[in-house]
Amino acid sequence: MTAPVPAGATARAGLGAQATPSGCTTWVEWVQEGSNSYYYGRGNVQCAGGRYRVKLQCRNLQTGVGYVVYGGYAVNAPGTATATCYSGNVAEGVYPVDDPLPTAGVTGCVSWTEWVHEGSNHYYGRGSAQCDTGTYRVQIQCRNVQTGQRYVVYGPAVTAPSTATTTCYQGNVADVVSGVPA
């Protein structure tokens, strides 16, 4: 597994021509709260073929914590599937999700970095991954910013749709994060 790729950029493996979303376009919209508070928190997916739901990779910009939200229902092409991040949070990635989900393997993984707080310092030292199906763990390529040394750490195994999370050694940053089969 590699870092997430926008839905329209690659073909997705799945159950077959009828169920697998194809020709997908994704976009993010503003959400308005109150009279002058706007944020890019709504994600949309529209595909030329297949049946799908939307999955959003969201982030709370104040805490740096990321999470995933699925749309509540599936649509048939060319319908638009929509979901919204929690209040005030932004959508950093929008992806189509096969409906029904594949029954085997690890599919639909997205990954992101999060802040680690140490005293008054904040750095991107935590990595998280979330997949649609399977049992997986997060793999992080970490870097010691003082020495440049790189190393890999793995988190504990989880089952979809739980989020797998682990942290680099103290003060080190997460350069590459991915979900990998456990």
Side-chain angles (χ1 to χ4, degrees):
M1 298 279 133
T2 59
V5 176
T10 62
R12 292 176 49 111
L15 295 174
Q18 285 187 322
T20 302
S22 61
C24 298
T25 302
T26 64
W27 69 96
V28 177
E29 295 176 331
W30 281 18
V31 175
Q32 181 177 359
E33 288 183 350
S35 61
N36 58 1
S37 176
Y38 297 91
Y39 62 96
Y40 284 101
R42 180 174 298 124
N44 303 283
V45 170
Q46 184 178 40
C47 300
R51 182 168 173 79
Y52 48 90
R53 292 189 300 152
V54 64
K55 175 169 136 176
L56 299 183
Q57 177 188 337
C58 303
R59 184 179 304 270
N60 179 319
L61 294 177
Q62 293 181 355
T63 65
V65 174
Y67 58 93
V68 168
V69 173
Y70 287 90
Y73 60 93
V75 299
N76 292 313
T80 300
T82 300
T84 304
C85 296
Y86 303 145
S87 179
N89 294 185
V90 297
E92 293 186 330
V94 183
Y95 309 91
V97 175
D98 295 340
D99 186 73
L101 288 171
T103 57
V106 175
T107 64
C109 296
V110 297
S111 57
W112 63 92
T113 58
E114 295 178 345
W115 295 343
V116 173
H117 304 277
E118 289 181 356
S120 61
N121 295 324
H122 307 291
Y123 61 93
Y124 284 102
R126 180 178 298 118
S128 297
Q130 188 275 340
C131 304
D132 297 335
T133 63
T135 300
Y136 51 91
R137 58 190 180 155
V138 65
Q139 173 185 294
I140 307 176
Q141 180 182 348
C142 300
R143 180 173 44 92
N144 181 315
V145 292
Q146 293 179 352
T147 66
Q149 179 184 5
R150 295 180 186 275
Y151 57 94
V152 174
V153 296
Y154 293 92
V158 301
T159 301
S162 297
T163 300
T165 300
T166 197
T167 306
C168 296
Y169 303 146
Q170 186 174 1
N172 294 185
V173 296
D175 282 337
V176 179
V177 181
S178 58
V180 297

Short mmCIF file of all heavy atoms in Angstrom, two decimals, residues 48-72:
data_model
loop_
_atom_site.label_atom_id
_atom_site.label_comp_id
_atom_site.label_asym_id
_atom_site.label_seq_id
_atom_site.Cartn_x
_atom_site.Cartn_y
_atom_site.Cartn_z
N ALA A 48 -18.77 7.53 -13.26
CA ALA A 48 -19.47 7.24 -14.51
C ALA A 48 -20.12 5.86 -14.48
O ALA A 48 -21.08 5.60 -15.21
CB ALA A 48 -18.50 7.34 -15.68
N GLY A 49 -19.60 4.97 -13.64
CA GLY A 49 -20.15 3.63 -13.57
C GLY A 49 -20.00 3.05 -12.18
O GLY A 49 -19.17 3.49 -11.39
N GLY A 50 -20.84 2.07 -11.84
CA GLY A 50 -20.73 1.36 -10.57
C GLY A 50 -21.67 1.86 -9.49
O GLY A 50 -22.51 2.73 -9.70
N ARG A 51 -21.51 1.27 -8.33
CA ARG A 51 -22.26 1.64 -7.12
C ARG A 51 -21.23 1.95 -6.05
O ARG A 51 -20.29 1.18 -5.85
CB ARG A 51 -23.17 0.49 -6.68
CG ARG A 51 -24.02 0.80 -5.49
CD ARG A 51 -25.10 -0.27 -5.29
NE ARG A 51 -25.82 -0.07 -4.06
CZ ARG A 51 -26.80 0.81 -3.88
NH1 ARG A 51 -27.16 1.60 -4.87
NH2 ARG A 51 -27.41 0.93 -2.71
N TYR A 52 -21.40 3.04 -5.31
CA TYR A 52 -20.35 3.53 -4.43
C TYR A 52 -20.91 4.40 -3.32
O TYR A 52 -22.03 4.88 -3.38
CB TYR A 52 -19.33 4.32 -5.23
CG TYR A 52 -19.97 5.33 -6.16
CD1 TYR A 52 -20.24 6.62 -5.75
CD2 TYR A 52 -20.33 4.96 -7.45
CE1 TYR A 52 -20.85 7.53 -6.60
CE2 TYR A 52 -20.95 5.86 -8.30
CZ TYR A 52 -21.21 7.14 -7.88
OH TYR A 52 -21.82 8.04 -8.71
N ARG A 53 -20.07 4.55 -2.30
CA ARG A 53 -20.28 5.53 -1.22
C ARG A 53 -19.07 6.45 -1.25
O ARG A 53 -18.08 6.20 -1.92
CB ARG A 53 -20.35 4.84 0.14
CG ARG A 53 -21.55 3.97 0.33
CD ARG A 53 -21.70 3.47 1.75
NE ARG A 53 -20.56 2.67 2.18
CZ ARG A 53 -20.16 2.57 3.44
NH1 ARG A 53 -20.77 3.21 4.39
NH2 ARG A 53 -19.15 1.80 3.76
N VAL A 54 -19.11 7.50 -0.44
CA VAL A 54 -17.98 8.42 -0.34
C VAL A 54 -17.27 8.19 1.00
O VAL A 54 -17.90 7.82 2.00
CB VAL A 54 -18.43 9.90 -0.47
CG1 VAL A 54 -19.35 10.30 0.66
CG2 VAL A 54 -17.23 10.84 -0.54
N LYS A 55 -15.97 8.36 0.98
CA LYS A 55 -15.14 8.27 2.19
C LYS A 55 -14.31 9.54 2.25
O LYS A 55 -13.66 9.91 1.27
CB LYS A 55 -14.26 7.04 2.11
CG LYS A 55 -13.26 6.88 3.22
CD LYS A 55 -12.66 5.49 3.14
CE LYS A 55 -11.21 5.44 3.32
NZ LYS A 55 -10.69 4.07 3.32
N LEU A 56 -14.34 10.21 3.41
CA LEU A 56 -13.56 11.45 3.60
C LEU A 56 -12.43 11.21 4.58
O LEU A 56 -12.63 10.62 5.64
CB LEU A 56 -14.43 12.57 4.19
CG LEU A 56 -15.62 13.05 3.40
CD1 LEU A 56 -16.29 14.20 4.14
CD2 LEU A 56 -15.20 13.49 2.03
N GLN A 57 -11.27 11.70 4.23
CA GLN A 57 -10.15 11.79 5.17
C GLN A 57 -10.20 13.21 5.71
O GLN A 57 -10.02 14.17 4.97
CB GLN A 57 -8.85 11.51 4.46
CG GLN A 57 -7.64 11.65 5.33
CD GLN A 57 -6.36 11.55 4.52
OE1 GLN A 57 -6.33 11.00 3.44
NE2 GLN A 57 -5.31 12.12 5.05
N CYS A 58 -10.50 13.36 7.00
CA CYS A 58 -10.72 14.67 7.62
C CYS A 58 -9.61 14.99 8.62
O CYS A 58 -8.87 14.11 9.05
CB CYS A 58 -12.06 14.67 8.36
SG CYS A 58 -13.48 14.27 7.34
N ARG A 59 -9.52 16.27 9.01
CA ARG A 59 -8.55 16.70 10.01
C ARG A 59 -9.12 17.84 10.84
O ARG A 59 -9.70 18.78 10.31
CB ARG A 59 -7.25 17.14 9.38
CG ARG A 59 -6.18 17.51 10.45
CD ARG A 59 -4.87 17.93 9.85
NE ARG A 59 -4.29 16.96 8.97
CZ ARG A 59 -3.45 15.97 9.33
NH1 ARG A 59 -3.12 15.84 10.58
NH2 ARG A 59 -2.96 15.16 8.43
N ASN A 60 -8.91 17.74 12.15
CA ASN A 60 -9.19 18.84 13.05
C ASN A 60 -7.93 19.72 13.02
O ASN A 60 -6.87 19.29 13.48
CB ASN A 60 -9.45 18.31 14.46
CG ASN A 60 -9.73 19.40 15.45
OD1 ASN A 60 -9.10 20.45 15.45
ND2 ASN A 60 -10.68 19.16 16.34
N LEU A 61 -8.03 20.91 12.45
CA LEU A 61 -6.85 21.76 12.28
C LEU A 61 -6.31 22.31 13.60
O LEU A 61 -5.16 22.72 13.67
CB LEU A 61 -7.16 22.90 11.32
CG LEU A 61 -7.43 22.47 9.88
CD1 LEU A 61 -7.79 23.67 9.03
CD2 LEU A 61 -6.23 21.72 9.30
N GLN A 62 -7.12 22.34 14.64
CA GLN A 62 -6.63 22.85 15.92
C GLN A 62 -5.81 21.81 16.67
O GLN A 62 -4.84 22.15 17.33
CB GLN A 62 -7.79 23.33 16.78
CG GLN A 62 -8.47 24.55 16.19
CD GLN A 62 -9.61 25.05 17.04
OE1 GLN A 62 -9.97 24.45 18.04
NE2 GLN A 62 -10.18 26.17 16.64
N THR A 63 -6.20 20.54 16.57
CA THR A 63 -5.47 19.49 17.29
C THR A 63 -4.51 18.71 16.39
O THR A 63 -3.64 18.01 16.90
CB THR A 63 -6.45 18.47 17.91
OG1 THR A 63 -7.14 17.78 16.86
CG2 THR A 63 -7.44 19.16 18.84
N GLY A 64 -4.69 18.79 15.07
CA GLY A 64 -3.87 18.02 14.15
C GLY A 64 -4.31 16.59 13.99
O GLY A 64 -3.69 15.83 13.24
N VAL A 65 -5.39 16.17 14.64
CA VAL A 65 -5.85 14.78 14.60
C VAL A 65 -6.65 14.54 13.32
O VAL A 65 -7.53 15.32 12.97
CB VAL A 65 -6.70 14.45 15.84
CG1 VAL A 65 -7.32 13.06 15.73
CG2 VAL A 65 -5.85 14.55 17.10
N GLY A 66 -6.34 13.44 12.65
CA GLY A 66 -7.06 13.04 11.45
C GLY A 66 -8.03 11.91 11.75
O GLY A 66 -7.90 11.22 12.76
N TYR A 67 -8.99 11.71 10.87
CA TYR A 67 -9.97 10.63 11.01
C TYR A 67 -10.67 10.43 9.68
O TYR A 67 -10.50 11.22 8.74
CB TYR A 67 -10.98 10.94 12.12
CG TYR A 67 -11.75 12.22 11.93
CD1 TYR A 67 -12.99 12.23 11.30
CD2 TYR A 67 -11.23 13.43 12.38
CE1 TYR A 67 -13.69 13.40 11.12
CE2 TYR A 67 -11.92 14.61 12.21
CZ TYR A 67 -13.15 14.60 11.58
OH TYR A 67 -13.83 15.77 11.40
N VAL A 68 -11.46 9.36 9.59
CA VAL A 68 -12.19 9.03 8.37
C VAL A 68 -13.68 9.00 8.66
O VAL A 68 -14.11 8.53 9.70
CB VAL A 68 -11.72 7.66 7.82
CG1 VAL A 68 -12.64 7.14 6.73
CG2 VAL A 68 -10.29 7.76 7.31
N VAL A 69 -14.46 9.53 7.70
CA VAL A 69 -15.91 9.52 7.77
C VAL A 69 -16.43 8.90 6.47
O VAL A 69 -15.97 9.27 5.39
CB VAL A 69 -16.48 10.95 7.91
CG1 VAL A 69 -18.00 10.96 7.81
CG2 VAL A 69 -16.03 11.58 9.21
N TYR A 70 -17.36 7.95 6.59
CA TYR A 70 -18.02 7.37 5.42
C TYR A 70 -19.38 8.02 5.22
O TYR A 70 -20.05 8.36 6.19
CB TYR A 70 -18.26 5.87 5.63
CG TYR A 70 -17.03 5.02 5.55
CD1 TYR A 70 -16.27 4.76 6.68
CD2 TYR A 70 -16.63 4.45 4.35
CE1 TYR A 70 -15.14 3.96 6.62
CE2 TYR A 70 -15.51 3.64 4.27
CZ TYR A 70 -14.77 3.40 5.41
OH TYR A 70 -13.65 2.62 5.34
N GLY A 71 -19.78 8.15 3.95
CA GLY A 71 -21.14 8.58 3.65
C GLY A 71 -22.11 7.51 4.11
O GLY A 71 -21.78 6.32 4.10
N GLY A 72 -23.30 7.91 4.50
CA GLY A 72 -24.25 6.98 5.09
C GLY A 72 -24.97 6.07 4.12
O GLY A 72 -25.57 5.09 4.53
#
